[in-house]
Structure formats: structure tokens, C-alpha cells
Amino acid sequence: MNTVGASPSPYPLPPQNSGAHVALVVIDMQRDFVEPGGFGAALGNKVELLQTIVPTVLKLLKTFRELGLPVIHTREGHRPDLSDCPPAKKRRGDATLRIGDPGPMGRILILGEPGNDIIPQLRPEVGELVIDKPGKGAFYATDLQERLKALRVTHLVFTGVTTEVCVQTSMREANDRGYECLLVEDGTESYFPEFKQATVRMIQSQGGIVGWVTTADRLIASLRQTYAGGAA
Ligand code: C5J
């Protein structure tokens, strides 16, 4: 069996030609979180911190694409009439701009606005799944589970932002649904370094209570070794 060097133990990859697949999940690498003028910045966060993972996520995207492995992107956003935004979510926090308010990149966290889009460096390619989600978790109020079933995905590799909010929530949702979940430590970031560290620790605690943790280079080496001749 091929595995990825990971903590707290080696992460098993689905064997080549088994019909089961490992997919890359890139959570919310949107202008609204990563660039100045968006939701993240309006909440007083230093968005530059999140930009540091862009080259690593790009490297992972290139590897999954090259090997013909599925890629899923998510975007957190709401309908223009905010009918899918609970008032409690809109009210919460001390933001200079709230969800739905007009900002420098269009209305904050609204589907179809420039700020809601994925940053150009990590733009999805044709055929890649893009899941628009109104919540923090990628499974809540989306058809992600049905789409993964159709693709015969059993293993999910998590990257993106922010580690302790949308990444961790999605990973926990996936874990409860029976997916084998792997977090790429250098492919995820938080506005709060201490929250990222705590999340990385808690995921792999108690024998991998939520899943495994690895680095991009360790994952890429194992993926190439396992799926060199194609992943089908
Ligand atoms: C947040 C996210 N932090 N993508 N969203 O509100 O983590």
C-alpha cells in the first residue's frame, strides 16, 4: 500500500486502478479573504499572512492536475438578496464593512462579485468543481457529497483558508461523512498563527481524531510514486 509520510501515522492513499480517488480541496482562496478591501480586511485582519501559501497551493494544484486527480475549489458567499445569510452571521463582528455592503471589490461576500472570486493565481481550470457555500463548512447547504460520490472520491486533501474556520469546519464535516482526511500544513493559513498551530495539533491528536497532517512536498512525492502511470 502506498502511503504519505504524515502525523500521527502514515496516510494511506487509494491504490492505483482501485476505482477510489483522492481529491484536492482548496478552501476559499478568494479575493475577499486574501486581498486588501475584502471581508477579511474589513474584520481587521492582516491579509498578507494568507498570501504566503499561494505558491504551495499552486504547486499542489499543478501536481493533482498533472496526475489527473480531481480538484475541488470552494467559495464562501451569499445570494445578492442575502436570503441564505442568517441575520446572526451578518450582524456578528465589528467589521468596517458587513456582508452585502459595497466595498472596493464589489459587495462583500456576495456571489458573482469580483471579491467573491478565487484569486487569479489559483483560478480553477475547466472541469474542476467549484462549490459555492453559504457557511463555513463545504458540505453545509451544498451538493458536495453527491458530487464526490459521483467522482468516487474517498480521500480528501485539505488546503486553503482559514485553517481554524472554513478549513477545519470542512475537514470535520468530511471526517463525519467517512472521508479519509489529510491537512497540508504548509498549504493552509490563518490570520492568527497560534490558531493555525492549535488546529494542526488538534486534528492529529488522539490518534488522528479528525485526520492526518503532512507537508506539500511529502504529499507530492507520494502522489507521484503512486499514480505515475495515471490515477484511474
Ligand atoms: C472566514 C473562512 N474566516 N474561509 N472564512 O470567515 O475561513
Side-chain angles (χ1 to χ4, degrees), residues 28 33 39 76 136 161-162 165-166:
D28 299 359
F33 294 111
F39 187 53
E76 181 178 346
K136 304 304 182 195
V161 298
T162 61
V165 185
C166 290

PDB file of all heavy atoms in Angstrom, residues 28 33 39 76 136 161-162 165-166, ligand 1:
ATOM      1  N   ASP A  28     -11.716  28.318  -0.161  1.00  0.00           N
ATOM      2  CA  ASP A  28     -11.939  29.771  -0.056  1.00  0.00           C
ATOM      3  C   ASP A  28     -10.720  30.655  -0.342  1.00  0.00           C
ATOM      4  O   ASP A  28     -10.512  31.675   0.356  1.00  0.00           O
ATOM      5  CB  ASP A  28     -12.499  30.125   1.342  1.00  0.00           C
ATOM      6  CG  ASP A  28     -13.824  29.447   1.618  1.00  0.00           C
ATOM      7  OD1 ASP A  28     -14.326  28.723   0.756  1.00  0.00           O
ATOM      8  OD2 ASP A  28     -14.360  29.634   2.736  1.00  0.00           O
ATOM      9  N   PHE A  33     -10.946  37.163   1.069  1.00  0.00           N
ATOM     10  CA  PHE A  33     -10.184  36.782   2.264  1.00  0.00           C
ATOM     11  C   PHE A  33      -8.697  37.108   2.143  1.00  0.00           C
ATOM     12  O   PHE A  33      -8.029  37.338   3.140  1.00  0.00           O
ATOM     13  CB  PHE A  33     -10.338  35.275   2.541  1.00  0.00           C
ATOM     14  CG  PHE A  33     -11.741  34.898   2.920  1.00  0.00           C
ATOM     15  CD1 PHE A  33     -12.519  34.144   2.071  1.00  0.00           C
ATOM     16  CD2 PHE A  33     -12.284  35.327   4.118  1.00  0.00           C
ATOM     17  CE1 PHE A  33     -13.827  33.808   2.400  1.00  0.00           C
ATOM     18  CE2 PHE A  33     -13.588  35.002   4.468  1.00  0.00           C
ATOM     19  CZ  PHE A  33     -14.365  34.246   3.600  1.00  0.00           C
ATOM     20  N   PHE A  39     -13.615  40.962   2.818  1.00  0.00           N
ATOM     21  CA  PHE A  39     -14.245  40.650   4.108  1.00  0.00           C
ATOM     22  C   PHE A  39     -13.190  40.494   5.211  1.00  0.00           C
ATOM     23  O   PHE A  39     -13.347  41.031   6.308  1.00  0.00           O
ATOM     24  CB  PHE A  39     -15.055  39.358   3.949  1.00  0.00           C
ATOM     25  CG  PHE A  39     -15.897  39.004   5.143  1.00  0.00           C
ATOM     26  CD1 PHE A  39     -16.785  39.915   5.687  1.00  0.00           C
ATOM     27  CD2 PHE A  39     -15.823  37.735   5.709  1.00  0.00           C
ATOM     28  CE1 PHE A  39     -17.575  39.584   6.776  1.00  0.00           C
ATOM     29  CE2 PHE A  39     -16.602  37.389   6.801  1.00  0.00           C
ATOM     30  CZ  PHE A  39     -17.482  38.320   7.337  1.00  0.00           C
ATOM     31  N   GLU A  76     -16.826  30.894  -0.222  1.00  0.00           N
ATOM     32  CA  GLU A  76     -17.865  31.295   0.739  1.00  0.00           C
ATOM     33  C   GLU A  76     -18.561  32.535   0.180  1.00  0.00           C
ATOM     34  O   GLU A  76     -17.887  33.521  -0.157  1.00  0.00           O
ATOM     35  CB  GLU A  76     -17.250  31.608   2.114  1.00  0.00           C
ATOM     36  CG  GLU A  76     -18.301  32.001   3.151  1.00  0.00           C
ATOM     37  CD  GLU A  76     -17.704  32.269   4.542  1.00  0.00           C
ATOM     38  OE1 GLU A  76     -16.537  31.912   4.778  1.00  0.00           O
ATOM     39  OE2 GLU A  76     -18.428  32.849   5.370  1.00  0.00           O
ATOM     40  N   LYS A 136     -19.496  28.021   6.727  1.00  0.00           N
ATOM     41  CA  LYS A 136     -18.062  27.788   6.877  1.00  0.00           C
ATOM     42  C   LYS A 136     -17.700  26.409   6.336  1.00  0.00           C
ATOM     43  O   LYS A 136     -16.638  26.215   5.759  1.00  0.00           O
ATOM     44  CB  LYS A 136     -17.643  27.913   8.351  1.00  0.00           C
ATOM     45  CG  LYS A 136     -18.015  29.245   9.001  1.00  0.00           C
ATOM     46  CD  LYS A 136     -17.467  30.430   8.241  1.00  0.00           C
ATOM     47  CE  LYS A 136     -17.802  31.747   8.923  1.00  0.00           C
ATOM     48  NZ  LYS A 136     -17.581  32.891   8.021  1.00  0.00           N
ATOM     49  N   VAL A 161      -7.892  28.564   3.182  1.00  0.00           N
ATOM     50  CA  VAL A 161      -8.032  29.464   4.328  1.00  0.00           C
ATOM     51  C   VAL A 161      -9.469  29.489   4.845  1.00  0.00           C
ATOM     52  O   VAL A 161     -10.388  29.205   4.109  1.00  0.00           O
ATOM     53  CB  VAL A 161      -7.615  30.898   3.927  1.00  0.00           C
ATOM     54  CG1 VAL A 161      -6.163  30.928   3.515  1.00  0.00           C
ATOM     55  CG2 VAL A 161      -8.492  31.484   2.816  1.00  0.00           C
ATOM     56  N   THR A 162      -9.606  29.882   6.107  1.00  0.00           N
ATOM     57  CA  THR A 162      -8.573  29.953   7.109  1.00  0.00           C
ATOM     58  C   THR A 162      -8.559  28.627   7.869  1.00  0.00           C
ATOM     59  O   THR A 162      -9.593  27.968   8.002  1.00  0.00           O
ATOM     60  CB  THR A 162      -8.807  31.118   8.120  1.00  0.00           C
ATOM     61  OG1 THR A 162     -10.053  30.894   8.799  1.00  0.00           O
ATOM     62  CG2 THR A 162      -8.845  32.456   7.425  1.00  0.00           C
ATOM     63  N   VAL A 165     -11.116  28.088  10.695  1.00  0.00           N
ATOM     64  CA  VAL A 165     -12.531  28.376  10.406  1.00  0.00           C
ATOM     65  C   VAL A 165     -12.999  27.440   9.283  1.00  0.00           C
ATOM     66  O   VAL A 165     -13.419  26.313   9.536  1.00  0.00           O
ATOM     67  CB  VAL A 165     -12.765  29.880  10.095  1.00  0.00           C
ATOM     68  CG1 VAL A 165     -14.251  30.158   9.929  1.00  0.00           C
ATOM     69  CG2 VAL A 165     -12.221  30.749  11.232  1.00  0.00           C
ATOM     70  N   CYS A 166     -12.910  27.881   8.033  1.00  0.00           N
ATOM     71  CA  CYS A 166     -13.542  27.090   6.965  1.00  0.00           C
ATOM     72  C   CYS A 166     -12.801  25.790   6.656  1.00  0.00           C
ATOM     73  O   CYS A 166     -13.425  24.800   6.263  1.00  0.00           O
ATOM     74  CB  CYS A 166     -13.694  27.942   5.717  1.00  0.00           C
ATOM     75  SG  CYS A 166     -14.937  29.229   5.965  1.00  0.00           S
TER      76      CYS A 166
HETATM   77  C1  C5J B   1     -13.878  33.017   7.450  1.00  0.00           C
HETATM   78  C2  C5J B   1     -13.080  31.268   6.009  1.00  0.00           C
HETATM   79  N1  C5J B   1     -12.756  33.052   8.161  1.00  0.00           N
HETATM   80  N2  C5J B   1     -12.984  30.973   4.712  1.00  0.00           N
HETATM   81  N3  C5J B   1     -13.983  32.229   6.357  1.00  0.00           N
HETATM   82  O1  C5J B   1     -14.812  33.720   7.754  1.00  0.00           O
HETATM   83  O2  C5J B   1     -12.359  30.756   6.827  1.00  0.00           O
END
